[in-house]
Amino acid sequence: MTIEAKFHIDRGDFVLDVDVTLPFQGVTSLFGPSGCGKTTLLRAIAGLERHRDGFLKVDDMIWQDAKCFVPPHQRPLGYVFQEASLFTHLTVQGNLEYGFKRIPDTERKISLENAIELLGIEHLLDRKSDKLSGGERQRVAIARALAVSPGILLMDEPLAALDQASKQEILPYLESLHDELEIPVIYVSHTLEEIGRLSDHLVLLEAGRVVAMGPINEMLTRLDLSLIHGNEATAVIDAVVAEYDSLYNLTHLDFGDNAGPSHRLTVAHQALEPGSRVRLRLAARDVSLTLERQSGTSILNIIPATVNEIIGEEAAKVTVRLMAGNIPILSRITKKSAVELDLKPGKQVYAQVKSVVMIR
Amino acid sequence: MIFSDADFTALMITLKLAALSTLILLGFGTPFAWWMARSRWRFKFLLEAVVALPLVLPPTVLGFYLLMTLGPYGPLGALMKSLGGRPLAFTFTGLVFGSVIYSLPFVVQPLQDAFTAIGRRPLEVAATLRASPLDRFFTVAVPMARSGFLTATVLGFAHTVGEFGVVLMIGGNLPGETQVVSIAIYDHVEGLEYGQAHWLSGGLLLASFLMLVAVYAINRRFTVVKP
């Protein structure tokens, strides 16, 4: 259940040289600065650009090797471009049907109604594409790609061309795709906020090369990578709703690996069904450390953890990577505190989390 | 009846010539324009210059070379003779041949521009929606270039109706075979038959104007639709 991609693309002033194995499940983000080659890699995976000497195997299908090149229209994929690129000569309905009617009945796993409902575009079907807002257009483009029942969905910065309001309009739909469909997604973006909300895996590209890759929470908390620095440092944690405390309007959430001990976090409101999966964001600057469990504090979220790594990027502050079981979180404290608490790798501490934001 | 029988025949021949030439031009001009719009061949500019030649050449120059080619001693004329036919000069078929070359840029250029304006993106989208190259051409490129097709058809037709120099050189002036309206008008003026020249000229003027009005009106509606 993997995607093996090996490409060497030389354009003179730009060289993409990758040899990666990506998971064929969940959302995998290709992240990096503009010009790092993430879109080129995505287009090569789609077959929109043909490069010699490439190798591409998706699940058990060879899409490209020394002997063969499967043209894009024969690859069971869906592709969402940065600009919605709707067909202007067709209505919304016509756009949705374009791919759908080219799929044999037996391969249809997503009905047109499903796709329309998932993206909430029932009211737009009779419109011409030029009568839609940017956000609506991109929703139609996503539904159109889903209507071919793709085995994999490739998305090239689908939110980058949109204003902030339209982004916020679309993000919930992207999240619901993740939750309701089992289609692997490769998502290109240069915005960490989007990636933190949507992805399960992250591939970091720089100047045409893969610098690092791994699960999202691990990648975001790796201190040796240039992903998040200083005050912006953030960890994301996937958790499960344990119970809702109706007396105080609080929701208790459990996280942790299957084997190790489970940890609990509490957030206000959010009356969710027990068992629902949520994603939490813990900003490093909201996490403080104590050597003993504090009593008589207003802070509800206190997690036992082990110091894993410390780096001081600037004069007064350090970033501490902690392991709560095997889940990494970050804490940002003053250098003075780090010295006074005598923090070093392996030391047991308690992380006091001032605020937890549910981002999904 | 306003027109004499001879004028009416000339009118019919003109319309037949224009319709046939336009159809032939659309037939091979479409794939040619598509190729020109998509190709990255480095010497493509040479072909573009050749296609544009009829725009700048005096029709008599074009007609002269066509006469040399199609006449009994020209390469095509000789070929026709060896196949048991007759040279194409001074025949209706010869006129169609000349008109196709004469009106080539008026059909190919609007089509090429329209195909270029579509860009690669809609075709890439169609490819990711399972459309084969031929499928993409007919279901995306052609409908999106429809204003180009309209312009190409009307300009190709109208320009053929308006040709004079080429026809005079290779068609002669055979009533019922190669006499077209523009030459009939010339004949009327030569014979001081101004009344009939008026009717034919006025009719041609009005028809041309109406065709162009239709093109601009319809294209205006098309271009309002923005991507």
Side-chain angles (χ1 to χ4, degrees):
Chain A
M1 294 291 274
T2 58
I3 302 165
E4 291 169 45
K6 190 173 180 208
F7 291 105
H8 182 89
I9 298 165
D10 192 343
R11 290 217 188 104
D13 55 341
F14 168 75
V15 177
L16 179 77
D17 192 6
V18 293
D19 184 357
V20 282
T21 301
L22 309 173
F24 189 62
Q25 59 180 9
V27 177
T28 303
S29 287
L30 305 181
F31 176 78
S34 347
C36 69
K38 49 197 192 302
T39 294
T40 308
L41 177 57
L42 196 72
R43 289 174 61 86
I45 291 173
L48 291 174
E49 281 174 38
R50 186 172 184 166
H51 301 283
R52 286 185 303 130
D53 306 330
F55 178 80
L56 180 61
K57 187 177 170 195
V58 174
D59 202 11
D60 56 355
M61 303 166 286
I62 302 258
W63 285 0
Q64 184 176 353
D65 63 13
K67 291 191 295 288
C68 81
F69 177 85
V70 180
H73 68 276
Q74 288 168 1
R75 300 184 180 193
L77 54 82
Y79 200 107
V80 178
F81 293 84
Q82 187 172 336
E83 312 80 27
S85 310
L86 299 184
F87 296 129
T88 49
H89 61 293
L90 299 173
T91 59
V92 168
Q93 176 93 27
N95 269 277
L96 295 173
E97 283 171 353
Y98 189 92
F100 181 75
K101 66 186 185 194
R102 285 172 171 75
I103 302 294
D105 281 348
T106 52
E107 289 173 27
R108 286 180 184 161
K109 299 190 193 82
I110 301 173
S111 69
L112 215 47
E113 292 71 32
N114 277 158
I116 290 166
E117 195 191 337
L118 266 170
L119 276 301
I121 51 173
E122 297 87 349
H123 57 296
L124 305 175
L125 295 178
D126 296 329
R127 302 250 204 108
K128 281 280 202 178
S129 61
D130 61 319
K131 298 280 189 289
L132 305 178
S133 72
E136 288 171 335
R137 240 177 268 171
Q138 198 56 285
R139 273 152 66 191
V140 173
I142 295 168
R144 179 175 69 175
L146 288 176
V148 299
S149 301
I152 180 168
L153 187 60
L154 308 176
M155 304 180 102
D156 183 10
E157 308 215 34
L159 304 184
L162 302 176
D163 57 51
Q164 199 55 35
S166 305
K167 276 184 194 167
Q168 296 308 326
E169 168 197 328
I170 293 191
L171 271 166
Y173 291 106
L174 292 180
E175 286 161 10
S176 68
L177 295 188
H178 184 282
D179 297 340
E180 293 183 30
L181 304 174
E182 290 183 344
I183 303 174
V185 177
I186 300 185
Y187 189 95
V188 164
S189 177
H190 67 268
T191 313
L192 266 176
E193 193 215 336
E194 262 168 65
I195 288 183
R197 280 178 72 163
L198 295 172
S199 54
D200 302 310
H201 298 87
L202 193 154
V203 178
L204 178 63
L205 284 157
E206 260 168 38
R209 288 172 183 277
V210 174
V211 178
M213 54 185 287
I216 180 72
N217 63 343
E218 197 185 304
M219 291 290 286
L220 287 180
T221 54
R222 268 180 64 174
L223 300 181
D224 61 325
L225 297 179
S226 57
L227 281 175
I228 313 184
H229 279 296
N231 278 331
E232 300 306 310
T234 300
V236 298
I237 293 177
D238 288 316
V240 178
V241 175
E243 55 182 313
Y244 179 64
D245 177 348
S246 58
L247 180 59
Y248 290 115
N249 273 314
L250 295 174
T251 301
H252 301 296
L253 306 156
D254 286 338
F255 71 94
D257 54 309
N258 302 330
S262 165
H263 300 275
R264 177 158 284 198
L265 285 167
T266 301
V267 296
H269 310 299
Q270 317 285 358
L272 292 167
E273 280 297 302
S276 317
R277 301 198 62 84
V278 297
R279 175 166 286 185
L280 308 169
R281 182 163 63 196
L282 280 66
R285 61 172 183 270
D286 291 338
V287 178
S288 60
L289 302 178
T290 59
L291 292 180
E292 278 139 41
R293 184 185 274 275
Q294 295 282 300
S295 57
T297 167
S298 65
I299 290 179
L300 286 177
N301 291 311
I302 299 176
I303 308 166
T306 311
V307 174
N308 176 258
E309 196 183 349
I310 305 168
I311 59 162
E313 314 168 296
E314 48 177 295
K317 296 232 170 168
V318 296
T319 306
V320 184
R321 186 177 203 255
L322 307 159
M323 299 300 288
N326 65 348
I327 307 294
I329 54 178
L330 297 177
S331 167
R332 189 147 169 82
I333 56 175
T334 61
K335 199 167 265 177
K336 181 171 191 280
S337 307
V339 171
E340 285 181 1
L341 294 179
D342 189 25
L343 294 184
K344 51 174 75 94
K347 189 158 180 124
Q348 296 292 319
V349 293
Y350 289 90
Q352 302 193 127
V353 185
K354 202 167 74 185
S355 85
V356 177
V357 183
M358 195 179 289
I359 52 176
R360 191 163 87 199
Chain B
M1 189 68 193
I2 300 159
F3 300 123
S4 68
D5 280 354
D7 286 349
F8 188 73
T9 309
L11 198 61
M12 284 299 112
I13 286 174
T14 306
L15 293 180
K16 199 172 113 189
L17 177 67
L20 209 55
S21 304
T22 307
L23 275 180
I24 292 170
L25 275 170
L26 284 174
F28 85 89
T30 303
F32 180 64
W34 176 246
W35 178 84
M36 294 275 275
R38 308 267 300 169
S39 166
R40 290 179 185 159
W41 186 46
R42 54 197 292 223
F43 294 115
K44 192 173 80 173
F45 66 93
L46 289 176
L47 269 180
E48 287 177 314
V50 169
V51 169
L53 264 184
L55 290 175
V56 294
L57 272 185
T60 42
V61 172
L62 196 64
F64 173 69
Y65 283 116
L66 280 169
L67 185 64
M68 293 294 102
T69 313
L70 301 179
Y73 305 108
L76 269 180
L79 179 73
M80 288 303 288
K81 268 191 4 195
S82 71
L83 293 175
R86 60 185 181 118
L88 292 176
F90 311 115
T91 64
F92 181 75
T93 314
L95 273 196
V96 173
F97 192 89
S99 303
V100 164
I101 291 172
Y102 180 58
S103 297
L104 184 69
F106 291 84
V107 172
V108 170
Q109 285 183 350
L111 289 180
Q112 187 183 339
D113 290 347
F115 287 142
T116 306
I118 295 172
R120 307 182 73 83
R121 178 54 54 80
L123 298 155
E124 289 183 348
V125 171
T128 67
L129 295 172
R130 306 289 187 281
S132 68
L134 199 65
D135 188 356
R136 311 203 265 276
F137 176 76
F138 283 111
T139 59
V140 176
V142 170
M144 287 187 88
R146 60 194 189 276
S147 75
F149 276 95
L150 181 72
T151 308
T153 306
V154 174
L155 288 188
F157 187 90
H159 189 247
T160 308
V161 168
E163 77 177 271
F164 179 78
V166 174
V167 179
L168 203 62
M169 296 293 279
I170 63 169
N173 188 4
L174 309 175
E177 167 96 15
T178 61
Q179 191 188 61
V180 296
V181 171
S182 59
I183 294 188
I185 293 171
Y186 182 74
D187 276 358
H188 285 312
V189 175
E190 287 267 276
L192 299 177
E193 299 157 346
Y194 282 15
Q196 281 170 300
H198 260 306
W199 278 113
L200 278 180
S201 299
L204 225 51
L205 178 70
L206 189 67
S208 304
F209 179 65
L210 289 179
M211 277 193 279
L212 292 177
V213 165
V215 171
Y216 287 118
I218 296 173
N219 273 351
R220 192 173 142 262
R221 201 169 59 80
F222 281 161
T223 48
V224 169
V225 181
K226 287 269 156 31

